[in-house]
Amino acid sequence: MNGLMQQRQLLLSSLIEHAATHHGDREIVSHLVDGSMHRSNWRQVRERAKRLANALGALGVGAGERVATLAWNTHRHLELYFGVSGRGAVLHTVNPRLFPEQIVYIVNHAESGFVFFDTSFAELVATIAPQCPQVKGFVAMCRRDQLPAIDLPGLLCYEDLLAEASPDYAWPTFDENRASSLCYTSGTTGHPKGVLYSHRSTVLHSFTACASDGLALSARDSVLLVVPLFHVNAWGVPYAAAMCGAKLVLPGASLSGENIYRLLKEEGCNFSLGVPTVWLGLFDYIERHEHSLDLSQIRLERVVVGGSAAPRAIIEKFEQRFGAFLIHAWGMSETSPLGTIGTLLDKHRELPVAQRIDLQLKQGRAIYGVELEIFDADGRPLPHDGKAFGELKVRGPWVAAAYFRGEDGSPLDADGWFATGDVATIDGDGYMQITDRSKDVIKSGGEWISSIDLENVALGHPALKETAVIGVAHSRWQERPLLIAVRKPGANTSTAEVLAFMEGKVAKWWLPDDVVFVDALPHTATGKLQKLALREQFKGYQLPTDRT
Amino acid sequence: MNGLMQQRQLLLSSLIEHAATHHGDREIVSHLVDGSMHRSNWRQVRERAKRLANALGALGVGAGERVATLAWNTHRHLELYFGVSGRGAVLHTVNPRLFPEQIVYIVNHAESGFVFFDTSFAELVATIAPQCPQVKGFVAMCRRDQLPAIDLPGLLCYEDLLAEASPDYAWPTFDENRASSLCYTSGTTGHPKGVLYSHRSTVLHSFTACASDGLALSARDSVLLVVPLFHVNAWGVPYAAAMCGAKLVLPGASLSGENIYRLLKEEGCNFSLGVPTVWLGLFDYIERHEHSLDLSQIRLERVVVGGSAAPRAIIEKFEQRFGAFLIHAWGMSETSPLGTIGTLLDKHRELPVAQRIDLQLKQGRAIYGVELEIFDADGRPLPHDGKAFGELKVRGPWVAAAYFRGEDGSPLDADGWFATGDVATIDGDGYMQITDRSKDVIKSGGEWISSIDLENVALGHPALKETAVIGVAHSRWQERPLLIAVRKPGANTSTAEVLAFMEGKVAKWWLPDDVVFVDALPHTATGKLQKLALREQFKGYQLPTDRT
């Protein structure tokens, strides 16, 4: 027997309708790529999103067709969020920082029919256009007088398209499971894979962004959205902001410490979200202008950090400088991305600051809608005691079930769990802490050793500048840890001394079987340690413990 | 093209699973009907809900079968919330304060197969049992030694059922549109009608209860749930509390000011919900024990009031006594019930207290998920200017589409709107204010006159104790207002004097065509003015303006 409630579909158009109807005057402020400031509001975003929807119709964009963007955080990109998905097409946000050949692959794999781009990417677009034969048109997100001087057949002008289109448009209604947007993972191995979100998954995810124990987004928030609109739906904030009528401040291309500071101050932002790098830039700016800045003009209350872990110093600085609370969030493209969120519990009200920050350093705690579980090597669930660590798997209505065009087959196991590729602990309150990547953890005689834990302990040695631990094949134990270390300039130490230093700080059987000193470790363009390259380099390395 | 996200169904079992897994130790405190206190937690609620699910299976309760309750707010009633719905049956909460014949009607109309009851309703159950032939068993919610001494064939004991059942139970998965619970409206005219909620509508509604701009329920809240579990799903709080892991304090049968005060203090409650009457009792208790109470021991922060409007004095008292913020919420059985919620906006941060309380007196503002619109007599939407008033209609995934067993046909218009029976204004920020009931508004020459506005203005006259305004047939204007007033003891005034007093305070054409003085006005058992009776009484009344 079914309930007798209304069968209203959860569509993204309902979000912009709510915002425009009840929060029409609430501002959307953009720092445009030409350096100017632009002020809009939710009513105007709806009007222009409707013009865009009509313009897309005139261009022949059909239901389900992908429309790509190469763009910064501006009001126009926000209009695309609602105009494209609202009419039933699929918004495909492309990361313009990828290599051109990756962008070509992604645009072609997605079969995006149109590409909307900020003029700062004109050269990039001119480069990729000849290699993207399925693209029917490139739309420069500017006025006619700002059109870039590039040789591109069929170049269109965003503002002309909108000016020529009617603002009268009735959003279509359709099944909430229809695709709404598409983001590609920046896979470290192999080709990028597309995650295809639905209207349903996105609206449900927005509820969590608005939850008190989520990002707690509300109509009282003025949000500086530093995380790019091309980065996993900007963590869902554009949709959630419409759901609750928050003010959005979009910083465009300039993520300098100075610009962030200015926007926080001038737009009264109390909430912001971004990766750690951006905050390092902000504090660097503040420290360099210590005497000329009045931090009491900043009303920052909450900051969400994701992408990679925020160091303790950043948490402390937000607290000391602004009285702002840092919330760690963890997720991935495949989780829309909100997976865990580091809000506190009732019992933490009286916690001493240092212990509270220990908690804040974890990746966050379980939220309703994302089931979290850790499994041992045999697929058995492990206890939630904050100590046992195992492969982290997730399940829920905003977790991916497959990749676009079936790449890599089904990523789910028989029970519907998606393997995150992380190794983690979960404690009794649902706080999750990543201890390693699945592919980096060292499998020694059926037990797991965390490479990250060993690296951190070794890094405590005063002579070491950087450390990496990888598993090396071992005839008896299957794998044993090898520590690869870079010494500080002028410093000296030995294998024996480093191992002696580590003794007692980790379980005895965790101690590396050898230490190798190198001049430098390999890193990716974004500064991440390339363990894959290290494993290649040390393939077949003869451990001293394995010379029988 | 569909998205590629997981098709997890939104089921109530996922709420209790989340709470038990990640907030297992969070307390559920009950004041039992025998006066004792009982301490449980979310883990135990899940365990006992699973035992109950097994016990229901053993009793032969099938999917979709209704299981009725006649019970106060205790842990056992909470277990029924999850055990009954979780296994796919339908929890049918019956208001034990109704007349026995209404209860008989409701139980029979719902075809409830079992009735779970608190022992304080033993007499009531003994009375109705012979008239409810479809009920297969009555279950007393107590231990065997507490079983009531009533002559009831097949009387069952709740604690025995649970003790005999296994705690091992895997919640079934099924379509989220399946019915989860059933509440009957306390219709003022005609028979009560059943609203049949679904798992989907209830989970979506819970998201809103947890939203910052909703009830902002979080893991940090200790909630004194005064609103009964038999009153529209206790405003959704049991489900939402599980969603976020809040502590629940259940006051049982005792809603005296003294008991409320004691629970607030002893259980560290920072959040509470209830109808105005309860709060009047609390403040009455406080005022009578002014010198012996230390209000600083109460950490109350937020109070939600619904059911009927809270007077200004209550808002002020919560603020002055506790520093607590009163949130008006409006809804009805047909809206699950959250319809509008009176949280503030960013621009209200600096509002002077008196003006802020003016806002708090409104019924709340629009929330995502419930579309609100007001319509004139011709069905045209009216502007959201806070002045134009019209029939309030709502639409959304937790709004009813029909009544149980099709009573009254479809309550929706062609565009899917549900008419609330209220007349209201909506302002540009979505704040809604009820100005009248649709059936009470006076239709004068195609325009509407608010009976409540006239009553309030007239009540300002120092000689009047109570006022009512009804529409009386008029040959030219269709209807014109008649003011019916009760004078204060010893006071005197005349029709002409009252009308002169009202002049200038309302539009000239709104002025009543006559004033009649009576000794008393008719009221319902719950104290509501019975305008229906007044309309009967004054049917055919000859207005002085209609003597042509």
Side-chain angles (χ1 to χ4, degrees), chain A residues 466-537:
Chain A
E466 197 177 7
T467 54
V469 171
I470 57 169
V472 170
H474 190 286
S475 56
R476 180 170 171 203
W477 299 107
Q478 184 185 5
E479 270 186 11
R480 286 297 301 162
L482 169 68
L483 170 62
I484 306 157
V486 181
R487 295 191 190 92
K488 283 182 185 162
N492 211 343
T493 185
S494 66
T495 296
E497 199 192 350
V498 168
L499 291 177
F501 170 82
M502 294 178 76
E503 245 185 85
K505 297 190 176 73
V506 294
K508 199 165 168 53
W509 64 275
W510 276 38
L511 279 177
D513 282 25
D514 202 1
V515 182
V516 175
F517 297 97
V518 294
D519 290 338
L521 292 171
H523 293 95
T524 65
T526 56
K528 282 189 185 170
L529 193 60
Q530 279 189 305
K531 291 212 177 169
L532 192 64
L534 279 178
R535 276 193 291 266
E536 281 298 317
Q537 195 183 332

Side-chain angles (χ1 to χ4, degrees), chain B residues 282-334:
Chain B
L282 171 66
F283 288 114
D284 181 56
Y285 172 77
I286 290 173
E287 279 151 25
R288 281 188 293 106
H289 299 80
E290 198 71 69
H291 300 296
S292 57
L293 300 178
D294 177 7
L295 268 55
S296 71
Q297 294 175 322
I298 308 279
R299 66 181 262 235
L300 199 59
E301 295 163 347
R302 288 145 36 231
V303 178
V304 173
V305 172
S308 57
R312 188 173 199 103
I314 285 194
I315 301 179
E316 289 168 345
K317 278 184 186 177
F318 272 115
E319 193 120 352
Q320 290 155 8
R321 295 285 186 171
F322 303 113
F325 183 78
L326 186 139
I327 301 163
H328 246 140
W330 168 87
M332 49 204 303
S333 300
E334 291 89 337

Side-chain angles (χ1 to χ4, degrees), chain B residues 93-367:
Chain B
T93 53
V94 183
N95 184 345
R97 288 168 178 159
L98 295 175
F99 295 115
E101 54 269 33
Q102 288 177 301
I103 295 175
V104 166
Y105 172 84
I106 288 173
V107 170
N108 287 336
H109 187 270
E111 299 182 51
S112 286
F114 287 85
V115 176
F116 286 67
F117 66 99
D118 270 330
T119 52
S120 46
F121 301 120
E123 290 296 325
L124 174 63
V125 165
T127 306
I128 65 166
Q131 302 165 68
C132 300
Q134 293 163 110
V135 174
K136 292 171 273 184
F138 289 87
V139 183
M141 293 160 70
C142 62
R143 296 190 310 266
R144 173 146 297 273
D145 62 296
Q146 297 168 320
L147 272 183
I150 48 174
D151 181 25
L152 206 60
L155 178 65
L156 295 164
C157 168
Y158 185 85
E159 291 298 335
D160 279 2
L161 286 180
L162 262 59
E164 289 154 15
S166 162
D168 294 326
Y169 182 81
W171 301 113
T173 54
F174 42 75
D175 188 293
E176 65 192 27
N177 290 300
R178 286 262 295 272
S180 60
S181 63
L182 176 65
C183 295
Y184 278 72
T185 61
S186 49
T188 46
T189 54
H191 278 305
K193 288 173 286 186
V195 180
L196 191 65
Y197 309 96
S198 68
H199 286 258
R200 171 186 167 95
S201 72
T202 306
V203 171
L204 293 177
H205 184 263
S206 306
F207 277 121
T208 291
C210 291
S212 269
D213 282 338
L215 306 183
L217 211 64
S218 84
R220 292 168 298 288
D221 285 328
S222 169
V223 185
L224 178 61
L225 191 62
V226 180
V227 55
L229 289 168
F230 57 75
H231 185 207
V232 206
N233 312 309
W235 301 353
V237 171
Y239 306 117
M243 180 178 263
C244 70
K247 170 175 171 174
L248 278 184
V249 181
L250 304 169
S254 172
L255 304 182
S256 68
E258 181 174 4
N259 200 42
I260 297 295
Y261 185 86
R262 187 179 60 78
L263 290 174
L264 284 176
K265 186 178 81 172
E266 291 177 3
E267 300 303 332
C269 298
N270 68 322
F271 184 36
S272 191
L273 312 92
V275 295
T277 318
V278 171
W279 308 122
L280 290 172
L282 171 66
F283 288 114
D284 181 56
Y285 172 77
I286 290 173
E287 279 151 25
R288 281 188 293 106
H289 299 80
E290 198 71 69
H291 300 296
S292 57
L293 300 178
D294 177 7
L295 268 55
S296 71
Q297 294 175 322
I298 308 279
R299 66 181 262 235
L300 199 59
E301 295 163 347
R302 288 145 36 231
V303 178
V304 173
V305 172
S308 57
R312 188 173 199 103
I314 285 194
I315 301 179
E316 289 168 345
K317 278 184 186 177
F318 272 115
E319 193 120 352
Q320 290 155 8
R321 295 285 186 171
F322 303 113
F325 183 78
L326 186 139
I327 301 163
H328 246 140
W330 168 87
M332 49 204 303
S333 300
E334 291 89 337
T335 63
S336 295
L338 295 176
T340 56
I341 300 173
T343 55
L344 298 180
L345 298 172
D346 196 26
K347 65 183 179 188
H348 302 139
R349 282 180 196 259
E350 309 294 330
L351 215 58
V353 175
Q355 277 172 261
R356 172 165 55 70
I357 293 178
D358 288 346
L359 261 180
Q360 285 173 261
L361 280 165
K362 295 195 173 195
Q363 268 67 43
R365 64 179 171 85
I367 46 176

Side-chain angles (χ1 to χ4, degrees), chain A residues 14 176 200 220 299 368, chain B residues 14 176 200 344 349 368:
Chain A
S14 68
E176 66 192 25
R200 171 183 167 97
R220 291 169 298 288
R299 65 181 263 235
Y368 173 81
Chain B
S14 67
E176 65 192 27
R200 171 186 167 95
L344 298 180
R349 282 180 196 259
Y368 174 80

Side-chain angles (χ1 to χ4, degrees), chain A residues 218-360:
Chain A
S218 85
R220 291 169 298 288
D221 284 329
S222 169
V223 184
L224 178 61
L225 191 62
V226 179
V227 56
L229 289 168
F230 57 74
H231 187 208
V232 208
N233 312 310
W235 301 351
V237 171
Y239 305 117
M243 181 178 262
C244 69
K247 171 176 172 176
L248 278 184
V249 181
L250 305 168
S254 174
L255 304 181
S256 68
E258 180 174 2
N259 200 44
I260 298 294
Y261 185 86
R262 186 178 62 78
L263 290 173
L264 285 174
K265 186 178 82 172
E266 290 177 4
E267 301 303 332
C269 298
N270 68 321
F271 184 36
S272 190
L273 312 93
V275 295
T277 318
V278 170
W279 309 123
L280 290 172
L282 171 65
F283 288 115
D284 182 55
Y285 172 77
I286 290 173
E287 279 151 25
R288 282 188 294 107
H289 299 81
E290 196 72 70
H291 300 296
S292 59
L293 300 177
D294 177 7
L295 268 55
S296 71
Q297 293 174 323
I298 308 279
R299 65 181 263 235
L300 198 60
E301 294 163 349
R302 288 146 37 232
V303 178
V304 174
V305 171
S308 56
R312 189 174 198 103
I314 285 193
I315 301 180
E316 289 169 345
K317 279 183 185 178
F318 271 116
E319 193 121 350
Q320 289 155 8
R321 296 285 186 169
F322 304 113
F325 183 79
L326 186 140
I327 301 162
H328 247 141
W330 168 87
M332 48 204 305
S333 301
E334 292 88 338
T335 64
S336 296
L338 295 175
T340 56
I341 300 173
T343 55
L344 299 180
L345 298 173
D346 197 26
K347 64 183 176 186
H348 301 140
R349 280 180 197 259
E350 309 294 331
L351 215 57
V353 175
Q355 277 172 260
R356 172 164 54 71
I357 293 180
D358 288 346
L359 261 180
Q360 285 174 262

